[in-house]
Amino acid sequence: MAATMQDVAQRAGVSIKTVSNVVNGYPYIRESTRQRVLDAIQALDYQVNAAARNLRTGRTGIIALALPELSLPYFAELADAVIEAADEQGLTVIIEQHGGRRERELDVLSGVRRHLTDGLIYSPLALGEGDEARLEVDFPLVLLGERIFHDPVDHVTMDNVEAARAATAYLLGLGRRRIAVIGVHPGEVVGSAGLRLTGHLAALAEAGIPPDDALLGPAGLWHRATGAEAMASMLDAGVRPDAVFGLNDALALGAMHELQLRGLRIPEDVAVIGFDDIDEGAYANPGLTTVDPGREQIARTAVEMLSTRIGSRGATAPHRVVADYTIVVRGSTEPGHDRPA
């Protein structure tokens, strides 16, 4: 027969209430007592009745993570980091993919699944300014990204403008002057594309270099294929950049592929930098120089914020955290910076 809480209490020499307090993470227990209970649980292979505990605490121990698409490496790696951070908090993560479609993003906020989870980490693409009221929900919520700035909830984001400015300034510091930008969304102001282009243009202005529309390569979706297509269109039009700034790593890798197909040397003829620091970039040939926007910090901070909000359920003011960024230099901009084989 399966061990009961009473069996654990008898073996550890404590009350059933003490066993319950240990199982439910009650902090004010003498460490020696806690260890005796844990040893008894392990010895008896006691299985916690999660359903009963959830009824008592009003929590499921499950949080949701809603992302645009896992086919983009950045979001896949972000999901992995969130799952790891949540595991440290004793939380399980379920992932929802909304595809950047407005109706699906709204469904994420109001769907029946919200009643099955304790809170939500949410990265929208279609929602934007004017949708702030949509985030006034009755469950713990942490917002990711930069579609909505004046939001009424906890928010973790990256410094898109300053990080992009630093990326362009880095290329300018290498003596590059004709810097193509791949992944532009014409007319966008709020959102990764608009903010990163703003940072790029700011760096050009600081260097006294006028912008050139011919060096702006639109790409609706930020995939390798669209990066290659945008680069090909630019080259076919006779535009000859000496550097490329891919607004994410997938675009930059696609652009690198197209440049190499045409016999251009990287970085001798064209230096290439991306944004996101996805794992694949380190193993490209040459390795891709990129902006690390603080993905691990974003994931860990979002989980910690949500866990705190779940625990307090208080009406405290929302917090906004901007992650730190770094430029990771590899061979696509400076020879000799790739790891030896």
Side-chain angles (χ1 to χ4, degrees):
M1 294 179 62
T4 66
M5 190 175 287
Q6 184 174 0
D7 295 332
V8 174
Q10 289 177 347
R11 186 179 182 95
V14 298
S15 68
I16 293 176
K17 178 63 175 177
T18 298
V19 175
S20 176
N21 287 340
V22 171
V23 168
N24 288 291
Y26 186 71
Y28 304 111
I29 298 175
R30 185 179 301 171
E31 189 55 40
S32 59
T33 301
R34 185 190 308 276
Q35 192 58 54
R36 287 208 314 277
V37 172
L38 293 175
D39 290 343
I41 288 172
Q42 183 175 9
L44 296 172
D45 193 25
Y46 172 66
Q47 302 297 313
V48 178
N49 188 332
R53 183 177 63 184
N54 292 343
L55 286 173
R56 290 193 303 272
T57 64
R59 301 177 194 167
T60 65
I62 300 171
I63 62 173
L65 171 65
L67 297 171
E69 55 176 317
L70 291 176
S71 61
L72 283 175
Y74 172 79
F75 289 117
E77 294 179 20
L78 176 66
D80 184 72
V82 167
I83 290 169
E84 182 175 340
D87 185 62
E88 294 175 5
Q89 299 275 349
L91 297 169
T92 298
V93 181
I94 61 172
I95 298 175
E96 300 182 59
Q97 188 170 248
H98 55 66
R101 302 192 302 275
R102 183 176 177 84
E103 67 277 8
R104 282 287 298 116
E105 291 186 1
L106 292 174
D107 183 59
V108 165
L109 290 173
S110 61
V112 67
R113 289 179 298 278
R114 293 290 66 77
H115 300 293
L116 306 176
T117 59
D118 296 332
L120 170 66
I121 298 174
Y122 183 46
S123 178
L125 285 184
L127 299 185
E129 290 188 343
D131 286 316
E132 291 84 359
R134 305 275 189 176
L135 303 180
E136 295 177 2
V137 294
D138 61 355
F139 55 84
L141 172 66
V142 174
L143 186 69
L144 303 182
E146 52 286 305
R147 298 297 304 181
I148 303 175
F149 280 109
H150 306 294
D151 47 273
V153 298
D154 293 324
H155 190 171
V156 186
T157 187
M158 60 184 70
D159 198 343
N160 277 290
V161 174
E162 180 56 28
R165 188 207 63 77
T168 298
Y170 164 73
L171 292 173
L172 292 170
L174 295 177
R176 311 292 175 151
R177 291 296 179 269
R178 290 185 53 76
I179 302 172
V181 181
I182 301 297
V184 173
H185 291 171
E188 180 178 283
V189 177
V190 176
S192 298
L195 295 172
R196 291 174 193 178
L197 180 59
T198 296
H200 166 74
L201 295 175
L204 293 183
E206 291 168 6
I209 298 174
D212 183 351
D213 288 345
L215 289 169
L216 303 181
L221 298 175
W222 281 8
H223 296 164
R224 298 170 192 80
T226 52
E229 290 165 5
M231 191 77 258
S233 295
M234 191 175 292
L235 295 172
D236 289 343
V239 179
R240 291 295 179 266
D242 59 11
V244 170
F245 178 16
L247 294 184
N248 79 347
D249 283 351
L251 291 165
L253 290 168
M256 279 178 56
H257 176 75
E258 184 64 27
L259 289 165
Q260 290 170 324
L261 282 179
R262 296 182 183 233
L264 293 166
R265 300 170 301 162
I266 300 172
E268 291 81 3
D269 299 323
V270 185
V272 180
I273 191 170
F275 198 114
D276 281 345
D277 192 26
I278 63 173
D279 188 58
E280 181 183 352
Y283 298 94
N285 186 22
L288 177 64
T289 293
T290 185
V291 176
D292 175 357
R295 180 179 59 247
E296 296 293 329
Q297 181 187 358
I298 290 170
R300 187 166 298 279
T301 302
V303 170
E304 289 173 354
M305 276 185 168
L306 190 64
S307 180
T308 298
R309 191 65 69 174
I310 291 168
S312 67
R313 293 282 184 171
T316 57
H319 296 87
R320 186 168 186 265
V321 174
V322 180
D324 302 319
Y325 70 87
T326 56
I327 293 179
V328 181
V329 177
R330 299 192 181 104
S332 68
T333 55
E334 298 186 46
H337 277 72
D338 287 324
R339 295 185 301 179

